[in-house]
Amino acid sequence: MPHSSKTSRAPRSLGRCVHLALASLALIGAAPQAFAQAPGGGGSGSSQVSLYGVLDGGYYRRNLAGEATVSRMDSGLLSMPRWGMRGSEDLGGGLSAAFDIGGHFRMDTGEAGRHPGDTAVGRTFSLASWVGLRGGFGFLRMGRIPTGSYIATLQFTPFAESVNLGPFLMHTITGSQPMNAVNGATDGIWSNSVAYTTPTFGGLSANLQYVAREASTEGRRVDLTANYRQGAFAAALNHRRVDGAAITTPRAAAEPAGAPYVILETKSTLASVSYDFEVVKVFGQYSTGAVQARGLREIDLDTLGLSAQVPVGAGRIVASWARTKREQAGVSDRVRSTLSAGYIHALSKRTDLYGVAIADRATNLRSGTGLALGIRHSF
């Protein structure tokens, strides 16, 4: 019967379709590996790609010096939320290619950027977007790359990259503070840059990063860093300079009244040391720099930072203090000091709970405080 004939053929047709679909999926799954291993398809060696990221958020009650009190759920209190992909490929002969693409986002709202008003908003990969070659000659990269001065600032404080709770970073790089920072207008991650890192010799290495002016207001930029690590001791020395710029930035509350600054040139030198005694790890940082704004005399900014980290049970007690002195001819000196202390408790290798309190003072401003309670997870 016609009906029964169609019925008997249907299962066989369906079975063939299923087998074909499974075979196609198997080929698709094997394709990346086959491509990577093919002589003309993906290089002569193995490739590695990994996904990484950090989620961080919590409650923040903030009223730094001169500010009104604000209580809110906030993002990136201890670490800036971010996600990205990085990878490398063995090209043979001791040469490898590498890349990193990553971006920041605000976990509380899902918006792009590190904080409200972030100048990096609009960049899909605000954290990093570079490609490079590594070999016996060192490491050469091009793209959007974190500077050596920024990395040194993070590595020599227990608060690392915290723009909300880390005093030294708040004083020298972060915007939206009671006092303008020496590198606040020029950021710690540079676009259109070329960076070269030397091989390590006896614990010593160096990094040079350069940005051409490219007819923009960002200016010509140079960042040079020397790093030394040997056992429990580590040190870094950095110098960075930006000239030919025209970057408009608001005046902070502790600054003399006036129109927003138009930054033409900045220069700073940063020295950092740390030593791990096991029962306590101590850090020291000193930055001396100057900012030249249009129509104004040079502003000198000197910042001293001292920090300690003490392991306790499954966590660690952290404390950090920074003091900045601002000097400018014809203007009275201004001083800001900030102390942060708290406890970071590890629930696992990738998840922390934390609580941090802040005390903040600045010349001519009412003293302020802050309290942060949050959770951080990395992957």
Side-chain angles (χ1 to χ4, degrees), residues 32-39 42-43 45:
Q33 182 177 1
F35 180 79
Q37 294 175 349

Side-chain angles (χ1 to χ4, degrees), residues 20-31:
L20 286 172
L22 291 174
S24 299
L25 288 173
L27 287 172
I28 292 171

Side-chain angles (χ1 to χ4, degrees), residues 39-274:
S44 60
S46 62
S47 299
Q48 295 181 345
V49 177
S50 60
L51 179 69
Y52 67 89
V54 174
L55 300 171
D56 183 308
Y59 168 77
Y60 190 24
R61 183 182 185 276
R62 166 175 163 157
N63 68 322
L64 300 183
E67 295 182 347
T69 301
V70 176
S71 296
R72 62 181 182 235
M73 297 304 296
D74 212 341
S75 172
L77 298 178
L78 195 59
S79 295
M80 289 179 287
R82 57 189 181 271
W83 72 275
M85 290 183 291
R86 60 170 65 102
S88 64
E89 180 187 20
D90 184 357
L91 302 175
L95 184 67
S96 63
F99 75 92
D100 191 341
I101 51 175
H104 297 103
F105 63 93
R106 295 177 58 198
M107 202 184 76
D108 55 337
T109 64
E111 297 173 283
R114 293 163 287 189
H115 49 77
D118 186 5
T119 56
V121 169
R123 294 187 175 99
T124 302
F125 300 115
S126 56
L127 173 64
S129 57
W130 57 258
V131 65
L133 291 174
R134 181 187 281 113
F137 60 88
F139 192 17
L140 182 64
R141 296 173 291 166
M142 62 81 62
R144 180 169 171 82
I145 305 169
T147 63
S149 57
Y150 180 61
I151 293 172
T153 301
L154 309 188
Q155 290 180 336
F156 290 88
T157 166
F159 286 96
E161 62 182 298
S162 178
V163 298
N164 289 296
L165 309 176
F168 196 85
L169 185 63
M170 292 161 66
H171 281 227
T172 58
I173 293 181
T174 309
S176 303
Q177 297 291 318
M179 182 181 289
N180 284 81
V182 63
N183 295 316
T186 55
D187 206 352
I189 307 172
W190 289 356
S191 300
N192 305 309
S193 63
V194 177
Y196 169 69
T197 304
T198 69
T200 300
F201 302 100
L204 181 65
S205 64
N207 183 80
L208 173 64
Q209 189 166 338
Y210 177 76
V211 179
R213 187 174 180 183
E214 297 191 2
S216 74
T217 60
E218 298 298 305
R220 180 173 55 251
R221 305 180 176 206
V222 178
D223 186 283
L224 177 61
T225 308
N227 295 288
Y228 179 78
R229 291 186 179 276
Q230 201 67 259
F233 177 76
L237 181 63
N238 169 270
H239 180 76
R240 63 182 266 172
R241 185 184 185 98
V242 177
D243 58 37
I247 305 170
T248 301
T249 187
R251 294 193 187 216
E255 300 293 320
Y261 290 129
V262 178
I263 306 299
L264 306 178
E265 179 181 331
T266 68
K267 54 187 177 182
S268 65
T269 299
L270 170 65
S272 307
V273 295
S274 70

